[in-house]
Amino acid sequence: MIAGVIGATGYAGAELVRLLAAHPKVTELALASVSFEGARIEDVYPNFMGKVTARLVKPEEAAAQADAVFAALPAGAGEAYAEACVGRGAPFIDLSADFRFGTDEALYQAWYGKGWAKPALREAAVYGLPELNRARIWEQAAAGRVIIGNPGCYPTGASLGAFPALARGLVDEGARVIVDSASGVTGGGREPARAFHYPECADSLAPYKVGCHRHSPEIARNFAAMAGRPVQVTFTPHLAPMNRGILSTIYLPLKREWQARPAGSACLPPGPEAAARAEAIHHLYKEFYAKEPFVRVLPAGVPAATGRVRMSNFCDISVTLDQSGTILIAASAIDNMVKGAAGQAVQNLNVIMGWDETSGLEAVPALF
Amino acid sequence: MIAGVIGATGYAGAELVRLLAAHPKVTELALASVSFEGARIEDVYPNFMGKVTARLVKPEEAAAQADAVFAALPAGAGEAYAEACVGRGAPFIDLSADFRFGTDEALYQAWYGKGWAKPALREAAVYGLPELNRARIWEQAAAGRVIIGNPGCYPTGASLGAFPALARGLVDEGARVIVDSASGVTGGGREPARAFHYPECADSLAPYKVGCHRHSPEIARNFAAMAGRPVQVTFTPHLAPMNRGILSTIYLPLKREWQARPAGSACLPPGPEAAARAEAIHHLYKEFYAKEPFVRVLPAGVPAATGRVRMSNFCDISVTLDQSGTILIAASAIDNMVKGAAGQAVQNLNVIMGWDETSGLEAVPALF
Amino acid sequence: MIAGVIGATGYAGAELVRLLAAHPKVTELALASVSFEGARIEDVYPNFMGKVTARLVKPEEAAAQADAVFAALPAGAGEAYAEACVGRGAPFIDLSADFRFGTDEALYQAWYGKGWAKPALREAAVYGLPELNRARIWEQAAAGRVIIGNPGCYPTGASLGAFPALARGLVDEGARVIVDSASGVTGGGREPARAFHYPECADSLAPYKVGCHRHSPEIARNFAAMAGRPVQVTFTPHLAPMNRGILSTIYLPLKREWQARPAGSACLPPGPEAAARAEAIHHLYKEFYAKEPFVRVLPAGVPAATGRVRMSNFCDISVTLDQSGTILIAASAIDNMVKGAAGQAVQNLNVIMGWDETSGLEAVPALF
Amino acid sequence: MIAGVIGATGYAGAELVRLLAAHPKVTELALASVSFEGARIEDVYPNFMGKVTARLVKPEEAAAQADAVFAALPAGAGEAYAEACVGRGAPFIDLSADFRFGTDEALYQAWYGKGWAKPALREAAVYGLPELNRARIWEQAAAGRVIIGNPGCYPTGASLGAFPALARGLVDEGARVIVDSASGVTGGGREPARAFHYPECADSLAPYKVGCHRHSPEIARNFAAMAGRPVQVTFTPHLAPMNRGILSTIYLPLKREWQARPAGSACLPPGPEAAARAEAIHHLYKEFYAKEPFVRVLPAGVPAATGRVRMSNFCDISVTLDQSGTILIAASAIDNMVKGAAGQAVQNLNVIMGWDETSGLEAVPALF
């Protein structure tokens, strides 16, 4: 199959190229870039030298030729290519936010500051978090018209970390869930900017876009979809001095029957009751994800660490109770460029095509 | 004055040495180390070469000779030296947790696994967070018998970030406050260990001691002291791939009258009401800390970043509302080795001696 | 085929496991560890969770069962296993220095401080730098008795960077070649130590073992083998604040006929003559490595960078003349854990077995 | 005294501000910036908040008001301000290359691509490496007309590392000296660019501007000045993944009488003769710098490391013989922003004013 990538020279695009170049079912790449049209991708990304030598074409060409098309473009820029692909039955996997909100154009507009040029395309759109929507992706693929709204990086980690607790009814319905996340700097993309200038982000940690990051509604929507009820979410992103990875620490207030100790007691170390509850919840998480190829619920005592999923499509999850026994603290780690972007997009392609879901995503992560 | 440092070759001790060597009122250092007794500190720390050439003495000698004594020792190891100092009227500033809990030996025992050899020493002990206890430190110093329980690194950042909101009654009394913190690796001390081995912590972020970190009760106690009521706290520490710094992101649920929007509404971007509330809270924070020499409430839109307080005694604080308008998100950044340990200890010395509180702590932080 | 790894829980061993687990011709792993015998490797390396689940066996078992055996052990510790493997015709690939020096036990002894228990094994030994010795590896494999002395990390990068110039007679025979290299911290292995403690190596660069690093004679021997004459070498290693990678900057004084400008002239920027010479030398390098699957001679103006070969078996090389036109400066970049250790070992297995030399080593490097 | 800084918002300028704000003899700052005129420097650099609150003025104003003026400007941009200052007798300390080359405009032009607008200013110019030119700075200051050509960052480290060997005649006169240096990313300045974009330089090491870096002639000139004869130099800079610091590894071929072993022998570990020679050279270095306040010749066995001079004006030097005993390997470490730029500029001010040379530069470096 010919896989097309539009926006191949941005970071998410380049990561798609890296993964697709090694995908056993992909025989050819059609790579498109507006900025570097005509150049070879190995001239823009010397790391590809000798491995990916394709010449960059116009976006329309990639959209017309490829058997499946990925787009890694700014908000709003991919709709025309989506239409072209859907029109001829080619799957279109979009890494922007354009197709993540179903038909809720108002919500999109509220956060992205503009509406959709072609709202009707949303009929074909599925939010591409396979752990949530695998069946719907299959259905839509079977219908021969499929656009994937590939999830945002933060929503991927946050959702996978919280899903079992939400699905199994552990979480107090009146309470707010707090998602505290930190991302590596590749999340900022390829364009040089002060915020991503080495001397200003090395050896430093800081929050950003507090209270107003666009991934907030996507997280809230996913939580609600899994819980089957609205879920109040507070989300804070941080920039961490590392290249890849998102760690999300998720605070899920437990229903009274899941709590290990009555709220209001003194601040003491966790006792045996907390250990028992934690074990039950750990078991529940293990079971929930037992068949998922890319979610690993870590053994008790091993915290999720971004370094251990680097360059892989895994999402590692650790679960613990807080000291009071009333809050479940789930931590999830992903590689923001893989499971948080390009890897998940390839996973979606695999789901659509009916291939083994791990095709091209078999990388064994290193510890270092 | 002769300043003594017992445990001078650990990281907190070495940081004390660095600061005291440049302190305008300190004329001589008496440095003690069990491990390196007899060596020169510049042989253990070549960075000190030519600047600090003192030979390391026995702890008892430092405790006997110095006009003021700092101890950076494991839990329980400093009580004898504290007694010796108090007995002869020399201030004793202890960087361990031994003197942080007033007379509450049970709480100490619950978290540190052992009791006190000399409980009576606690009469002379003050918890040395000047922004909370300056007056009590003065009093105790005036009494000629003062032991400082120098605060833990995480409690320092967490407390300063939350204090104005707690003191001014912004926080919903029934709600739990969540403190999500990340520390640089110097927080782990000087002993090599797998967790702090470069290849295993570089380029990675992970939580640790979730639900059971010993700084939890200290944070809860400080919050309660400032709020004048018990405060439920959930605290999660993380290890970040940087040398120095602690960033604490603190989630403070607001009382209804301080909220910008009724809880329960859809996940929308913050509106003008939120901006107005945020401004009022920002103003309140500025005022609260107006006279504090080491707390900087940052302008709106500038998030606290550990890199901007590196090597200084500053605590930078940024305040924002979450997207829902119901949670105050305060972020505080400190250098864990300075305001989080040695710098605060020197600040305590300055308070005790009636010197300018910034003596020896005038370092202007760099951006890079 | 069953691949055995003795010393599977050290860093080089774990990297072998990572690569062999994904090798298309390897169907089973026999992993051995003295320290963790009986444990599962995924308990020691949580990054392997769900991907490599083998239980660690005794070294003798791995040496007896596997069709090919890799050893990542301290100097001298692998000879017995080598003997066992050679005895039964199984290839033995040794990552220590034990089999790198042909029959020159005196040289080995001079640098490693001890002799060989079983010198006769060296009959079967080949130094496993395929770009130098591919034919000899084939021969020895054909003879059914093959021990590979897998090259050191620094000698690999240094040799590949200098080989074309040495082979083609560009280098002044009376002159000394200087190799200035810097390695990431994984080169120090898994054992925590002060030198590799995060706070002491982060954000710092320093030389180590100046004038006495054990890789010196290996580099000199390789240079001589390629040049067909003795070559004087000065080698200095450095520790750089990064996880993976070795950059070697190699100063090769040119014969007069290759120089761009007579030695002794003023310090001026390079002129057109230098550019012409550099281009000729660049061409010569390209040609020399035209058929090598893992050596990439970079386009003029693109300097070798360790980040662009990370996690791959590539060696990237850039060549430039110095300002005077009399010194060829070749820079080579490898991933010290892959081409510098485990990847090259797998490459050697591929050569021995007659498989495609890139089997299991197809990883496309990322830029970030 | 009022100290002026023109170009205060670049990195070198901001570092000057940081140091001058804490200088005991500087009572007021006149800070100028074309880009941010009218703003407060603490708005551009939030790290300065509350410590440096001056409003940024026009360059002409700073040049007219200050008692001494520093300029951190692009090549050629400072001549007019220099003229203004010299005209009224105020010292002018220029951090660009404009005043580093005495009257050799041709050499400047060859490397910087343009000539000088006001060549006559060079009468008043001294190259401001105090360890080389202290007496000349005094003389010129006494004459009441002084312009300092503040040294480049690489030339500072390279020169200090090589000076004793060159001055005392250790170095073979026919041989070329190789300087292999690596700099932290702050050396690239404040402007965001791909080369300094965090994801593209983190965890990677690479050379740049090989054979054509503008600091080459400055290094060669300094070497010649100290040796009293022309010295051939080959210089290669690298970019290292750290914020601050330059490590220079300098290869100085020894005259036969200083060599520890005849050239041409086999590659063996260094013997006792090498140790004896190394000790003699170490002694010679110690003596050479005995009175220098900022140069530390490290004890044998302690290699120069950039981390140990971070934020200080020190230059640390370690000396060793190579394995052959024929090359002296001197390694020097500086903080590129301090001794390599702003700190040295302040040192020059101190020399000019006859103040203690360490005024404002007393910072004790930390290890971490």
Side-chain angles (χ1 to χ4, degrees):
Chain A
M1 90 127 49
I2 306 178
V5 179
I6 303 178
T9 55
Y11 275 2
E15 188 74 352
L16 277 164
V17 171
R18 183 177 76 82
L19 293 171
L20 292 169
H23 194 294
K25 305 279 192 180
V26 172
T27 50
E28 201 182 323
L29 296 178
L31 309 180
S33 161
V34 171
S35 327
F36 297 96
E37 196 224 311
R40 291 188 184 284
I41 188 147
E42 62 181 343
D43 297 333
V44 185
Y45 282 88
N47 54 300
F48 288 144
M49 188 183 165
K51 298 291 288 190
V52 192
T53 56
R55 206 170 277 286
L56 293 158
V57 299
K58 283 192 181 20
E60 305 79 50
E61 294 175 48
Q65 294 163 5
D67 300 311
V69 174
F70 296 85
L73 296 170
E79 287 188 81
Y81 311 121
E83 189 171 46
C85 289
V86 163
R88 63 185 182 83
F92 186 83
I93 300 174
D94 188 281
L95 277 74
S96 82
D98 289 359
F99 298 97
R100 292 180 191 160
F101 292 96
T103 56
D104 195 345
E105 188 172 358
L107 188 64
Y108 178 90
Q109 188 148 23
W111 286 92
Y112 290 84
K114 57 182 162 190
W116 296 331
K118 301 169 193 290
L121 288 171
R122 275 68 196 177
E123 284 171 48
V126 188
Y127 183 71
L129 187 59
E131 292 79 3
L132 174 69
N133 275 345
R134 190 175 283 112
R136 291 206 46 222
I137 302 169
W138 280 334
E139 270 170 44
Q140 199 65 39
R145 289 168 52 85
V146 61
I147 296 174
I148 296 289
N150 206 61
C153 51
Y154 287 117
T156 296
S159 299
L160 295 176
F163 274 177
L166 292 166
R168 296 291 179 259
L170 275 62
V171 181
D172 178 5
E173 301 200 3
R176 177 168 290 276
V177 176
I178 287 176
V179 177
D180 187 288
S181 300
S183 173
V185 189
T186 52
R190 185 172 187 261
E191 270 331 294
R194 174 118 319 123
F196 314 125
H197 193 45
Y198 187 94
E200 306 204 5
C201 52
D203 207 46
S204 190
L205 182 64
Y208 68 99
K209 291 193 188 163
V210 180
C212 61
H213 193 285
R214 289 166 167 183
H215 284 173
S216 303
E218 193 179 332
I219 295 172
R221 198 270 323 270
N222 292 358
F223 281 16
M226 184 52 75
R229 60 168 178 91
V231 180
Q232 298 298 320
V233 176
T234 290
F235 165 61
T236 311
H238 298 74
L239 190 69
M242 58 189 190
N243 255 357
R244 287 167 176 259
I246 288 179
L247 186 86
S248 295
T249 305
I250 309 160
Y251 298 86
L252 299 141
L254 292 167
K255 281 183 183 159
R256 182 157 299 255
E257 63 264 34
W258 279 95
Q259 296 181 7
R261 185 194 284 175
S265 54
C267 188
L268 294 172
E273 194 198 353
R277 284 294 154 94
E279 199 186 315
I281 293 172
H282 182 258
H283 184 73
L284 183 152
Y285 264 70
K286 289 285 285 185
E287 234 177 29
F288 187 87
Y289 285 126
K291 294 188 179 158
E292 283 300 336
F294 292 118
V295 183
R296 304 192 297 192
V297 178
L298 299 171
V302 179
T306 62
R308 291 200 295 256
V309 296
R310 201 188 292 130
M311 306 293 283
S312 86
N313 201 49
F314 283 116
C315 175
D316 278 6
I317 298 173
S318 55
V319 286
T320 326
L321 292 202
D322 85 329
Q323 153 278 331
S324 76
T326 65
I327 309 249
L328 171 62
I329 302 176
S332 72
I334 58 171
D335 183 320
N336 60 309
M337 300 306 292
V338 187
K339 183 62 178 171
Q344 185 146 265
V346 171
Q347 185 181 355
N348 277 312
L349 177 68
N350 292 342
V351 173
I352 290 168
M353 305 302 294
W355 299 335
D356 185 326
E357 204 163 316
T358 65
S359 289
L361 299 170
E362 300 90 347
V364 180
L367 181 61
F368 41 79
Chain B
M1 90 129 47
I2 306 177
V5 180
I6 303 178
T9 56
Y11 276 2
E15 188 74 352
L16 276 165
V17 171
R18 183 176 77 81
L19 293 172
L20 292 169
H23 195 294
K25 305 278 192 181
V26 173
T27 51
E28 199 183 323
L29 296 178
L31 309 180
S33 161
V34 171
S35 325
F36 296 96
E37 197 224 310
R40 289 189 185 283
I41 189 146
E42 62 181 344
D43 297 332
V44 186
Y45 282 87
N47 53 299
F48 287 142
M49 188 183 165
K51 296 291 286 189
V52 193
T53 54
R55 205 170 278 285
L56 293 158
V57 299
K58 285 193 180 18
E60 304 79 51
E61 295 175 48
Q65 295 164 3
D67 300 311
V69 174
F70 297 85
L73 296 169
E79 288 187 81
Y81 310 122
E83 190 171 45
C85 288
V86 163
R88 62 185 182 84
F92 186 82
I93 300 175
D94 188 280
L95 278 74
S96 82
D98 289 359
F99 297 97
R100 292 181 192 158
F101 292 96
T103 56
D104 193 345
E105 187 171 358
L107 187 64
Y108 178 89
Q109 187 148 25
W111 285 92
Y112 289 84
K114 57 182 162 191
W116 296 332
K118 300 167 195 292
L121 288 171
R122 274 68 196 177
E123 285 170 47
V126 188
Y127 183 71
L129 188 58
E131 292 81 3
L132 175 67
N133 274 346
R134 190 176 283 113
R136 290 205 47 223
I137 302 170
W138 280 333
E139 271 170 46
Q140 199 65 41
R145 291 168 51 84
V146 62
I147 297 174
I148 295 290
N150 205 60
C153 51
Y154 287 118
T156 296
S159 299
L160 295 176
F163 274 177
L166 292 166
R168 296 291 179 257
L170 275 62
V171 182
D172 178 4
E173 300 200 3
R176 179 168 288 276
V177 175
I178 287 176
V179 177
D180 187 289
S181 300
S183 172
V185 189
T186 51
R190 186 172 185 259
E191 269 332 292
R194 176 119 318 124
F196 314 125
H197 194 45
Y198 187 94
E200 308 205 3
C201 52
D203 208 45
S204 189
L205 183 64
Y208 68 98
K209 293 195 187 161
V210 180
C212 61
H213 193 285
R214 289 167 166 182
H215 285 172
S216 303
E218 192 179 333
I219 296 172
R221 198 271 321 269
N222 293 357
F223 281 16
M226 185 52 76
R229 60 168 179 91
V231 180
Q232 297 298 319
V233 176
T234 289
F235 166 60
T236 311
H238 298 73
L239 190 69
M242 57 190 190
N243 256 357
R244 286 166 177 260
I246 287 180
L247 186 85
S248 295
T249 306
I250 309 161
Y251 297 87
L252 298 142
L254 292 167
K255 281 184 184 158
R256 183 157 300 255
E257 63 263 35
W258 281 95
Q259 297 181 6
R261 185 193 284 174
S265 55
C267 189
L268 294 172
E273 193 198 354
R277 284 294 154 94
E279 200 187 314
I281 294 173
H282 183 258
H283 184 73
L284 182 153
Y285 264 69
K286 290 284 285 185
E287 235 177 30
F288 187 88
Y289 285 127
K291 295 189 178 156
E292 284 298 338
F294 292 117
V295 183
R296 304 192 296 191
V297 178
L298 299 171
V302 179
T306 63
R308 291 200 295 256
V309 296
R310 201 189 292 130
M311 307 292 283
S312 87
N313 201 50
F314 283 117
C315 175
D316 277 8
I317 299 174
S318 54
V319 287
T320 327
L321 292 201
D322 86 329
Q323 152 279 330
S324 77
T326 66
I327 310 249
L328 170 62
I329 302 176
S332 72
I334 59 170
D335 183 319
N336 59 310
M337 301 305 293
V338 187
K339 182 63 178 168
Q344 184 146 265
V346 172
Q347 186 181 355
N348 277 311
L349 176 67
N350 292 342
V351 173
I352 290 168
M353 304 302 293
W355 298 335
D356 185 326
E357 204 163 317
T358 64
S359 288
L361 299 170
E362 301 89 347
V364 181
L367 181 62
F368 40 79
Chain C
M1 89 125 50
I2 306 178
V5 179
I6 303 179
T9 55
Y11 276 1
E15 188 74 351
L16 276 164
V17 171
R18 183 177 75 83
L19 293 171
L20 292 169
H23 194 294
K25 304 280 191 179
V26 172
T27 50
E28 200 183 322
L29 296 179
L31 308 181
S33 161
V34 171
S35 327
F36 297 95
E37 197 224 311
R40 290 190 185 284
I41 189 146
E42 61 182 343
D43 297 333
V44 185
Y45 282 87
N47 54 299
F48 288 143
M49 188 183 165
K51 297 291 287 191
V52 192
T53 56
R55 205 169 277 285
L56 294 157
V57 300
K58 285 192 177 24
E60 306 79 50
E61 293 176 50
Q65 293 164 3
D67 299 311
V69 174
F70 297 84
L73 296 169
E79 286 188 82
Y81 310 121
E83 190 172 44
C85 289
V86 163
R88 63 186 181 83
F92 186 84
I93 300 174
D94 188 280
L95 277 74
S96 83
D98 288 359
F99 297 98
R100 292 180 192 159
F101 292 95
T103 55
D104 194 345
E105 187 172 357
L107 188 64
Y108 178 89
Q109 188 148 25
W111 286 91
Y112 290 84
K114 57 182 162 189
W116 296 331
K118 301 168 192 291
L121 288 171
R122 275 68 196 178
E123 284 171 49
V126 189
Y127 182 72
L129 188 58
E131 292 80 3
L132 175 68
N133 273 346
R134 190 176 283 113
R136 292 206 46 223
I137 302 169
W138 282 333
E139 271 171 44
Q140 200 65 41
R145 288 167 53 84
V146 60
I147 296 173
I148 296 290
N150 205 61
C153 51
Y154 287 117
T156 296
S159 299
L160 295 176
F163 274 178
L166 292 166
R168 296 292 179 257
L170 274 63
V171 181
D172 178 4
E173 301 200 2
R176 178 168 288 276
V177 176
I178 286 176
V179 177
D180 188 289
S181 300
S183 173
V185 189
T186 53
R190 186 173 186 261
E191 269 331 294
R194 174 118 319 124
F196 313 126
H197 193 46
Y198 187 94
E200 307 206 3
C201 52
D203 207 46
S204 189
L205 182 64
Y208 67 98
K209 292 193 186 163
V210 180
C212 61
H213 194 284
R214 288 167 167 182
H215 285 173
S216 302
E218 192 179 334
I219 295 171
R221 197 271 321 272
N222 292 358
F223 281 16
M226 184 51 75
R229 59 166 180 91
V231 180
Q232 297 298 318
V233 176
T234 289
F235 165 61
T236 310
H238 298 73
L239 189 69
M242 58 189 190
N243 255 357
R244 286 165 176 261
I246 287 180
L247 186 86
S248 295
T249 305
I250 309 160
Y251 298 87
L252 299 142
L254 292 167
K255 281 184 184 159
R256 181 155 302 254
E257 62 264 34
W258 281 96
Q259 297 180 6
R261 184 194 285 174
S265 55
C267 188
L268 294 172
E273 194 198 352
R277 283 294 153 92
E279 198 186 316
I281 293 172
H282 183 259
H283 184 73
L284 183 151
Y285 263 70
K286 291 284 286 183
E287 233 177 33
F288 186 88
Y289 284 127
K291 294 188 179 157
E292 283 301 336
F294 292 117
V295 183
R296 305 192 296 193
V297 179
L298 298 172
V302 179
T306 61
R308 291 200 294 256
V309 297
R310 200 188 293 131
M311 307 293 282
S312 87
N313 201 49
F314 283 117
C315 175
D316 276 6
I317 298 173
S318 55
V319 287
T320 326
L321 292 201
D322 85 329
Q323 153 277 334
S324 78
T326 65
I327 309 249
L328 170 61
I329 301 176
S332 71
I334 58 171
D335 183 318
N336 61 310
M337 300 306 293
V338 187
K339 184 62 177 171
Q344 184 146 264
V346 171
Q347 185 182 356
N348 276 312
L349 176 68
N350 292 342
V351 172
I352 290 168
M353 304 303 293
W355 298 334
D356 184 327
E357 205 162 315
T358 64
S359 288
L361 298 170
E362 300 91 346
V364 181
L367 181 61
F368 41 78
Chain D
M1 90 128 48
I2 306 178
V5 180
I6 303 178
T9 55
Y11 275 2
E15 188 74 352
L16 276 164
V17 171
R18 182 177 76 81
L19 294 172
L20 292 169
H23 195 294
K25 304 278 191 180
V26 173
T27 49
E28 199 183 325
L29 296 178
L31 309 180
S33 162
V34 171
S35 325
F36 296 95
E37 197 224 310
R40 291 190 184 282
I41 188 146
E42 62 182 342
D43 298 332
V44 185
Y45 282 87
N47 53 298
F48 288 143
M49 188 183 165
K51 296 291 287 191
V52 194
T53 55
R55 205 169 278 285
L56 294 158
V57 300
K58 284 194 181 16
E60 305 79 49
E61 294 175 49
Q65 295 163 1
D67 300 312
V69 174
F70 297 85
L73 296 169
E79 287 187 82
Y81 310 121
E83 191 172 43
C85 289
V86 163
R88 61 185 182 86
F92 187 82
I93 300 174
D94 187 281
L95 277 73
S96 83
D98 289 359
F99 297 97
R100 293 180 192 159
F101 292 96
T103 56
D104 194 345
E105 187 171 358
L107 188 64
Y108 178 89
Q109 186 147 27
W111 286 92
Y112 290 84
K114 56 182 164 190
W116 297 331
K118 301 168 193 293
L121 287 172
R122 274 69 196 176
E123 284 170 49
V126 188
Y127 182 72
L129 188 58
E131 292 81 3
L132 175 67
N133 273 347
R134 190 175 284 113
R136 291 206 47 224
I137 301 169
W138 282 333
E139 271 170 45
Q140 199 65 41
R145 289 169 52 87
V146 61
I147 296 174
I148 295 290
N150 204 61
C153 51
Y154 288 118
T156 296
S159 300
L160 295 177
F163 274 177
L166 293 166
R168 297 289 179 259
L170 275 62
V171 182
D172 178 3
E173 302 200 2
R176 178 169 289 277
V177 176
I178 287 176
V179 177
D180 187 289
S181 300
S183 173
V185 189
T186 51
R190 186 173 186 260
E191 268 332 293
R194 174 117 321 121
F196 314 125
H197 194 45
Y198 187 95
E200 308 206 3
C201 52
D203 207 47
S204 190
L205 183 64
Y208 68 97
K209 293 195 186 161
V210 181
C212 61
H213 193 285
R214 289 166 167 183
H215 286 173
S216 303
E218 193 179 333
I219 295 171
R221 197 271 322 269
N222 293 357
F223 281 16
M226 185 51 77
R229 60 168 178 89
V231 180
Q232 297 296 320
V233 176
T234 290
F235 165 60
T236 311
H238 298 74
L239 191 69
M242 57 191 190
N243 254 358
R244 286 166 177 259
I246 287 179
L247 186 86
S248 294
T249 305
I250 309 160
Y251 299 86
L252 298 142
L254 293 166
K255 281 185 183 157
R256 182 156 301 256
E257 63 265 34
W258 280 96
Q259 297 181 7
R261 186 194 282 173
S265 54
C267 188
L268 294 172
E273 193 197 354
R277 284 294 153 93
E279 199 186 313
I281 293 172
H282 183 258
H283 184 73
L284 183 152
Y285 264 69
K286 290 285 285 185
E287 234 176 31
F288 188 87
Y289 285 127
K291 293 187 180 156
E292 284 299 337
F294 292 118
V295 183
R296 304 192 296 191
V297 178
L298 299 171
V302 179
T306 61
R308 291 199 295 257
V309 296
R310 200 188 294 130
M311 307 291 285
S312 86
N313 201 49
F314 283 116
C315 175
D316 277 7
I317 299 174
S318 55
V319 287
T320 327
L321 292 201
D322 86 329
Q323 153 278 331
S324 77
T326 66
I327 310 249
L328 170 61
I329 302 176
S332 71
I334 58 169
D335 183 318
N336 60 309
M337 300 305 293
V338 187
K339 183 63 179 169
Q344 184 146 263
V346 171
Q347 186 181 355
N348 277 311
L349 176 67
N350 292 341
V351 173
I352 290 168
M353 305 302 293
W355 298 335
D356 185 326
E357 204 163 318
T358 64
S359 288
L361 299 170
E362 300 90 346
V364 181
L367 181 62
F368 40 78

